[in-house]
Amino acid sequence: MALHIHEAWILLFVVPALVTPAAINHEDYPADEGDQTSSNDNLIFDDYRGKGCVDDSGFVYKLGERFFPGHSNCPCVCTEDGPVCDQPECPKIHPKCTKVEHNGCCPECKEVKNFCEYHGKNYKILEEFKPSPCEWCRCEPSNEVHCVVADCAVPECVNPVYEPEQCCPVCKNGPNCFAGTTIIPAGIEVKVDDCNICHCHNGDWWKPAQCSKRECQGKQAL
């Protein structure tokens, strides 16, 4: 009986020895977080606090040195407390500016529109032009076009005509008026028929001519 007990103990010691390290699956036994160390933990970064400033690319600047961090166009000064950067109140860009540069801390207008555009055409500053016979325009320094439309005087005739490239009608034959259906020139008496002599009112061309009857030549012949 004592012999069998001794053999059982031998088996208990032999069985664990058959389990080799290769038979253990490490995926079944995840390691503790403390054991999962990375090689990056061994890297040591320099501490420049109070000694200098580092920009986005990793370049180090000395205390008191001016630099431009990242994509900023405004300069910074390296201090013990870190970069102190300018944040100016930039002037407004002219609304007529056609070329803006961003090389400095503030955008800068390099070219202002120096012409006026009117009905699809460009005109120089202070240039005067006539887009139509009745308009007179000028390109102002503000790049705006100011126009004046001609105010035509009342013609002194009943048959005014419009000439090419002229805004206002003209009396080609001078002042006149109507005597009945006949147009007579102003300033003289006109015998319109055998019995009537007419003349135009002074300055009142729209009024019918003043006429006076006289002895008719036809009656005298009888």
Side-chain angles (χ1 to χ4, degrees):
M1 184 68 178
L3 179 62
H4 292 293
I5 295 174
H6 180 71
E7 292 175 352
W9 279 104
I10 294 174
L11 290 174
L12 289 175
F13 285 105
V14 171
V15 171
L18 296 176
V19 181
T20 63
I24 299 176
N25 189 351
H26 289 281
E27 294 181 357
D28 297 334
Y29 302 92
D32 294 336
E33 293 182 359
D35 297 334
Q36 294 180 347
T37 57
S38 173
S39 60
N40 292 334
D41 294 341
N42 298 326
L43 295 178
I44 299 177
F45 293 96
D46 292 333
D47 188 358
Y48 292 101
R49 288 176 295 181
K51 304 175 185 178
C53 301
V54 183
D55 64 7
D56 293 351
S57 61
F59 194 87
V60 180
Y61 296 88
K62 298 178 182 179
L63 294 178
E65 192 172 359
R66 291 171 65 87
F67 66 100
F68 295 87
H71 299 287
S72 174
N73 288 325
C74 295
C76 298
V77 177
C78 182
T79 69
E80 292 183 355
D81 298 325
V84 176
C85 303
D86 293 340
Q87 293 182 348
E89 185 175 349
C90 296
K92 293 183 179 180
I93 299 296
H94 195 284
K96 301 293 184 179
C97 185
T98 57
K99 184 179 180 182
V100 180
E101 287 188 358
H102 299 274
N103 295 329
C105 185
C106 291
E108 185 178 358
C109 180
K110 290 296 183 181
E111 185 176 333
V112 178
K113 183 180 178 182
N114 58 353
F115 62 90
C116 300
E117 186 175 353
Y118 189 76
H119 290 177
K121 294 183 179 181
N122 295 337
Y123 300 92
K124 297 179 181 179
I125 299 297
L126 300 182
E127 182 180 357
E128 298 178 358
F129 58 96
K130 292 186 67 175
S132 71
C134 293
E135 288 181 288
W136 175 85
C137 302
R138 186 173 74 168
C139 175
E140 301 294 340
S142 61
N143 304 109
E144 296 179 351
V145 174
H146 289 174
C147 296
V148 176
V149 179
D151 186 11
C152 296
V154 178
E156 297 181 347
C157 61
V158 296
N159 56 349
V161 295
Y162 286 88
E163 295 288 347
E165 300 302 322
Q166 289 190 10
C167 175
C168 299
V170 296
C171 297
K172 295 189 69 174
N173 298 320
N176 56 38
C177 66
F178 277 114
T181 58
T182 304
I183 298 175
I184 63 174
I188 60 174
E189 291 184 344
V190 178
K191 188 176 181 180
V192 295
D193 55 31
D194 292 339
C195 301
N196 294 295
I197 296 177
C198 304
H199 68 275
C200 295
H201 293 273
N202 291 331
D204 297 335
W205 61 268
W206 62 90
K207 294 182 179 180
Q210 287 181 323
C211 298
S212 59
K213 285 189 177 183
R214 298 187 180 180
E215 264 186 56
C216 298
Q217 293 181 356
K219 291 182 178 180
Q220 290 179 353
L222 293 175

